[in-house]
Amino acid sequence: MPEPTTLAAVLLVLGPIVGAIPVAYPPLMRVWSMPREDHVRTVAAHRTAWRFLNGGFVLATVSTAAGLGVLALAVGADDDGASILVAATVAYSVAGVLWCAVLAIRAVTTPALLDLGAVDTAPGEAERLLGGATGALFAAFVLTTGVTLVALGAGLALTGTIPAIVGSVAAGIAVVVLAAELASGDAIPAVLYLPTMLIGIAVLAGWR
């Protein structure tokens, strides 16, 4: 049976990698940059792949939250980084629930727009309301996760749980995502898995 720290690192690194596999499905690789009509038609034509893509993000989120939790237990109550990890696990999990809700909603509603015949018309009031709600959930996820990862990277570096350079890079990535969200109202969610993957790599490699 693997050591707790090894298990935590594997969850932090391998979960997002496995979860990202459906993103490489060729027909959906450009779906994020398509106009609304093409986006809906492409998703509707590849419904199973779309569900796997959203499910991959759920897997990455759950795996990361679990990895942080296992790592918090593994470092022990006497370690200065333990309290930071516990707080980060709670905050990340709360944000993760918001993100999973967005993923579940869009997995169902995006292809349904074609079924309802709404793709060739301007977005209706119901669609705009749903888009506003999911947009608010997404923004809350990005902001909460970003702040959490900044504190996590900086805190673990300051306590010596991970090397300072790793913690600084992890926090820096989170700052860039936060800045993008605040400046444009949008961010690439996949980037938010990079800080915890870096932390997992550092733990797996035994860097201190």
Side-chain angles (χ1 to χ4, degrees):
M1 189 171 181
E3 292 290 328
T5 52
T6 301
L7 175 60
V10 169
L11 288 169
L12 291 173
V13 176
L14 194 59
I17 290 176
V18 174
I21 292 174
V23 178
Y25 180 63
L28 295 180
M29 288 183 68
R30 292 182 53 256
V31 74
W32 314 107
S33 59
M34 293 178 178
R36 170 180 170 271
E37 294 79 6
D38 294 338
H39 175 90
V40 173
R41 287 194 178 92
T42 301
V43 167
H46 304 276
R47 297 174 190 240
T48 300
W50 178 246
R51 287 193 293 269
F52 271 104
L53 185 151
N54 287 283
F57 279 113
V58 172
L59 171 63
T61 303
V62 172
S63 177
T64 301
L68 292 174
V70 172
L71 188 59
L73 295 174
V75 299
D78 296 332
D79 192 297
D80 292 334
S83 58
I84 297 171
L85 282 164
V86 170
T89 301
V90 173
Y92 189 94
S93 298
V94 171
V97 170
L98 301 177
W99 178 220
C100 289
V102 173
L103 293 168
I105 291 169
R106 76 180 188 184
V108 174
T109 59
T110 302
L113 291 174
L114 185 67
D115 299 335
L116 295 172
V119 68
D120 293 319
T121 60
E125 185 176 344
E127 184 181 345
R128 290 196 298 270
L129 183 62
L130 180 62
T134 54
L137 289 174
F138 179 77
F141 152 69
V142 171
L143 295 175
T144 303
T145 303
V147 171
T148 297
L149 294 177
V150 171
L152 179 65
L156 292 182
L158 289 173
T159 57
T161 306
I162 59 175
I165 184 63
V166 175
S168 298
V169 171
I173 293 171
V175 168
V176 170
V177 177
L178 276 173
E181 176 64 29
L182 292 172
S184 66
D186 196 15
I188 302 174
V191 179
L192 287 171
Y193 297 102
L194 295 180
T196 45
M197 290 178 70
L198 282 175
I199 292 170
I201 291 171
V203 171
L204 196 60
W207 298 338
R208 297 288 290 189

